[in-house]
Amino acid sequence: MDPQGGPYLNKKALCSPLGAARLCQLAMGCAVIAMVTHSAGYSGSQGVFCMAAWCFCFAMSVVVFFLDATRLYSFLPLSWDNLTVTCAAFATLMYVTASVVYPLFFVRSECPYAGCEVRDFRIAVSVCSILGTLAYGAEVVLCRARPGQIVVGYMATASGLLKVVQGFVACVIFGALANGSQYWRYEATVYCVVVYASCFALTALVVIMTLCKRTRNVCCMPFDRFVVVCTLLEVLLYLSASVVWPVFCFDPKYGSPSRPSSCPQGKCPYDSKVVVAVFSFLNFGLYTADLIYSQRIKFVSSNANS
């Protein structure tokens, strides 16, 4: 028996909609990894990314399910509700990306040289990956706080979930910057990189503080006000970067307004610059939505209720 007099195992980990969603995550993750390693296969950086995403999410789901079923999460110095919804949101994004990348690069209507069996396995992998996406998305929906609801778990709010998406989009931007974007050519584009890194650091700080239950007061102000101040700063910084980056990358005075014909597909600096520009605008929109949603949060410090 546990200290509260209940059973060691948590029946809700199995007999609940949330438990069913997590079991589906495990089943789809296991099926995808088994089929890819058995016959579907993967290659190149795209395939490695997909396999890494599936394996990471599967391992994360195993740990979450085990800790929830055995109630061992009560011994962790972390906010369990915030941690699980953060993991589910991040896994949803990873699965969405893998569910697009894998069929795009590996599924063809005609049979490859290895035969139609490989094609069929790859189609099955894509289907199971999509089902896994729905399973992780279902957990996010089940754990999400409703508007106007007084909540302890900040990460369950729309603002908290947007923080996960913002961090994921920032990682895409960093990947494009590292892929021959030539951002070092101008001080203005270096400034944009500093903006992306600073905003990512602030977002990660808010998430880490929430997971570690450090949500009472920050810099002599309530946590919810601290989040709003950070978000407003990030909106202003992304607004400047969303203007500066396209000017210094696509204006004829500094860069190229169109894709050079001699540029190799997949290894062209212009492509990386376009990705950075598009996702900069996307993150600007996400931070703006975050700022709007954060005004509606009625947040209760987890320290006061733990």
Side-chain angles (χ1 to χ4, degrees):
M1 305 293 284
D2 66 6
Q4 287 75 33
Y8 284 118
L9 296 181
N10 182 12
K11 293 182 179 179
K12 289 185 178 180
L14 292 172
C15 305
S16 69
L18 183 58
R22 287 174 177 167
L23 286 174
C24 185
Q25 295 165 11
L26 293 174
M28 292 301 102
C30 187
V32 166
I33 295 172
M35 287 189 290
V36 170
T37 55
H38 170 65
S39 185
Y42 64 96
S43 60
S45 58
Q46 299 88 0
V48 171
F49 165 79
C50 292
M51 193 60 175
W54 290 323
C55 290
F56 177 79
C57 293
F58 179 73
M60 186 169 59
S61 296
V62 170
V63 172
V64 168
F65 181 79
F66 178 80
L67 292 176
D68 189 32
T70 57
R71 302 179 189 270
L72 290 177
Y73 64 83
S74 59
F75 295 97
L76 298 176
L78 300 170
S79 174
W80 179 248
D81 292 337
N82 283 313
L83 178 63
T84 53
V85 73
T86 302
C87 291
F90 181 73
T92 302
L93 295 172
M94 295 288 285
Y95 256 77
V96 166
T97 307
S99 298
V100 173
V101 171
Y102 190 82
L104 184 65
F105 284 91
F106 296 98
V107 177
R108 298 289 182 271
S109 58
E110 67 277 2
C111 296
Y113 67 90
C116 292
E117 181 182 1
V118 173
R119 182 201 61 183
D120 296 341
F121 267 106
R122 290 180 175 177
I123 293 174
V125 166
S126 303
V127 172
C128 288
S129 184
I130 294 173
L131 293 176
T133 303
L134 296 177
Y136 283 108
E139 180 175 351
V140 174
V141 172
L142 290 171
C143 297
R144 184 178 64 87
R146 301 300 182 266
Q149 178 183 357
I150 298 177
V151 295
V152 175
Y154 169 74
M155 297 306 299
T157 65
S159 181
L161 294 173
L162 282 171
K163 287 283 187 290
V164 180
V165 183
Q166 292 158 9
F168 185 83
V169 171
C171 290
V172 176
I173 292 176
F174 294 145
L177 288 171
N179 189 30
S181 63
Q182 300 177 344
Y183 64 85
W184 59 84
R185 294 182 60 184
Y186 303 105
E187 293 182 357
T189 50
V190 172
Y191 160 79
C192 293
V193 176
V194 173
V195 167
Y196 302 140
S198 300
C199 292
F200 177 77
L202 280 175
T203 300
L205 176 63
V206 171
V207 173
I208 292 172
M209 289 175 62
T210 304
L211 297 182
C212 295
K213 303 181 182 180
R214 306 298 182 184
T215 56
R216 186 179 294 275
N217 289 301
V218 185
C219 299
C220 301
M221 68 178 73
F223 178 74
D224 51 354
R225 176 170 291 187
F226 172 75
V227 171
V228 171
V229 170
C230 288
T231 306
L232 177 59
L233 177 61
E234 290 162 336
V235 168
L236 296 176
L237 288 173
Y238 256 95
L239 175 60
S240 64
S242 299
V243 174
V244 171
W245 181 269
V247 168
F248 279 83
C249 289
F250 307 120
D251 188 277
K253 182 179 179 180
Y254 305 103
S256 174
S258 59
R259 191 178 192 278
S261 58
S262 60
C263 220
Q265 190 73 28
K267 297 182 179 180
C268 184
Y270 181 85
D271 296 340
S272 297
K273 293 175 182 177
V274 170
V275 171
V276 172
V278 171
F279 280 87
S280 293
F281 282 112
L282 175 59
N283 237 2
F284 170 68
L286 291 172
Y287 278 112
T288 303
D290 188 2
L291 184 63
I292 296 172
Y293 275 113
S294 63
Q295 306 300 313
R296 305 167 60 185
I297 297 175
K298 299 177 182 179
F299 187 76
V300 178
S301 173
S302 57
N303 287 340
N305 295 274
S306 298

